[in-house]
Amino acid sequence: LITKRNANLLHKNHAMNTAYDLAVKRHNPEVAKFLRAWYEKNLPDYRDGPYITWTGKRRIRAQYLVHDSKSQITRKAKARFRSDTDPYLMRGFAGDSMDYLIHSKKEIPADLIGRAEKVLVIGDIHGGYDSLLAFLTKNMVINDCFKWTWTDGHLVFLGDIFDRGEKVTETLWLIYQLEHEAALAGGAVHLILGNNEVLVLAGNLDYIAEKYRLMSSRLNIDYSYLYNKRSVLGQWLRTLNTVIRINGHLFVHAGLSPQIMDTGMDVHEINNAV
């Protein structure tokens, strides 16, 4: 009925659920099957990426996942680069006008920070890139060109960048870039691992947005493989902490269980274990 009356089946409600999401959650397999088939036939234009992988000490391979709604063809747009500098500036392609500063060093960030004058803490982003940009710009953490302007401030993300939303990749690259820019300005960006980061890295894709599920299915790739140990974002995510302490305050995604507390592990030991 709703398709015959030209309803927008890509519309999301206040909880960011589509009609398909609700059909799945309410255990209505017939409707879910119908809507999934509709989505697959009517995917809008998508460009997701870049996914950058090291193929040698100075060589990288970059790819975008691209879907054209007119032809209904999904493809990979690929390019190879020689990184003659470190960090290396890669220009976006396949319709992407952004630049990406790629670092070969994979240092484990500090998990104990003694003193920070300014601390801004942000909870679960879940792919909400546009809202994040608006929030950071409004609070003068970044400028209109998305560059760090918050001098020596500390920006803390409490995990769960992945899943649900449809701009996870853009959000990860933004945080990756801001981490470097903040350090140069005397500040810091701290991304703490949440359960959704760990799930994706471990190959559990139960909660990824339908966009990523369909794109991966059409290209016959495993979504978690895009964040493997040779990928730039995958390597970076695997260096991140689970618990950090700033100004004597503990920051962690969703809390620490009594079982963890009973082990007597300190912050370093928890991070090393994860």
Side-chain angles (χ1 to χ4, degrees), residues 63 65 76 215-223 225-226:
Q63 64 179 349
L65 311 184
K76 298 177 185 176
M215 296 278 277
S216 301
S217 175
R218 281 174 170 262
L219 293 169
N220 195 28
I221 57 177
D222 185 331
Y223 179 69
Y225 179 76
L226 298 171

Side-chain angles (χ1 to χ4, degrees), residues 31-249:
V31 175
K33 182 179 179 180
F34 173 85
L35 290 174
R36 183 178 178 85
W38 184 94
Y39 288 140
E40 290 179 349
K41 292 179 181 177
N42 296 276
L43 280 178
D45 287 332
Y46 277 136
R47 184 193 66 241
D48 182 45
Y51 295 101
I52 303 174
T53 304
W54 290 101
T55 59
K57 288 185 177 180
R58 293 188 177 181
R59 294 185 181 278
I60 60 174
R61 181 183 70 242
Q63 64 179 349
Y64 290 82
L65 311 184
V66 181
H67 178 76
D68 179 66
S69 61
K70 291 182 179 179
S71 64
Q72 283 298 308
I73 292 176
T74 308
R75 63 184 178 87
K76 298 177 185 176
K78 300 179 182 179
R80 294 180 180 271
F81 302 92
R82 181 178 175 84
S83 54
D84 296 322
T85 59
D86 191 6
Y88 172 71
L89 183 66
M90 192 199 89
R91 307 286 184 184
F93 59 96
D96 181 7
S97 60
M98 300 291 286
D99 294 333
Y100 301 89
L101 200 60
I102 311 302
H103 307 268
S104 65
K105 295 180 180 179
K106 298 171 283 296
E107 298 179 357
I108 296 176
D111 52 16
L112 298 175
I113 296 90
R115 185 65 185 165
E117 294 297 326
K118 299 180 293 184
V119 181
L120 177 60
V121 187
I122 300 178
D124 308 21
I125 299 300
H126 285 302
Y129 175 72
D130 297 323
S131 298
L132 176 62
L133 284 181
F135 179 80
L136 294 178
T137 305
K138 185 74 173 179
N139 285 281
M140 295 179 288
V141 176
I142 61 175
N143 60 23
D144 292 338
C145 297
F146 314 147
K147 299 298 182 182
W148 180 266
T149 56
W150 208 37
T151 59
D152 61 348
H154 284 244
L155 178 60
V156 182
F157 291 93
L158 295 179
D160 276 11
I161 305 302
F162 278 92
D163 297 340
R164 298 194 178 95
E166 296 189 343
K167 289 192 176 181
V168 171
T169 320
E170 294 89 336
T171 307
L172 288 173
W173 277 118
L174 175 67
I175 298 173
Y176 179 91
Q177 309 281 45
L178 291 179
E179 184 183 74
H180 176 68
E181 294 172 14
L184 293 178
V189 171
H190 310 275
L191 173 55
I192 295 170
L193 291 176
N195 59 294
N196 283 282
E197 280 73 44
V198 176
L199 285 171
V200 169
L201 293 178
N204 185 324
L205 307 178
D206 289 347
Y207 304 102
I208 64 173
E210 195 63 15
K211 163 190 170 180
Y212 298 111
R213 194 181 306 281
L214 290 174
M215 296 278 277
S216 301
S217 175
R218 281 174 170 262
L219 293 169
N220 195 28
I221 57 177
D222 185 331
Y223 179 69
S224 62
Y225 179 76
L226 298 171
Y227 296 95
N228 65 42
K229 294 179 181 180
R230 294 184 63 84
S231 71
V232 171
L233 291 178
Q235 289 180 342
W236 171 59
L237 288 167
R238 286 171 172 81
T239 68
L240 300 179
N241 294 309
T242 305
V243 184
I244 65 172
R245 193 168 68 214
I246 304 176
N247 295 345
H249 299 290

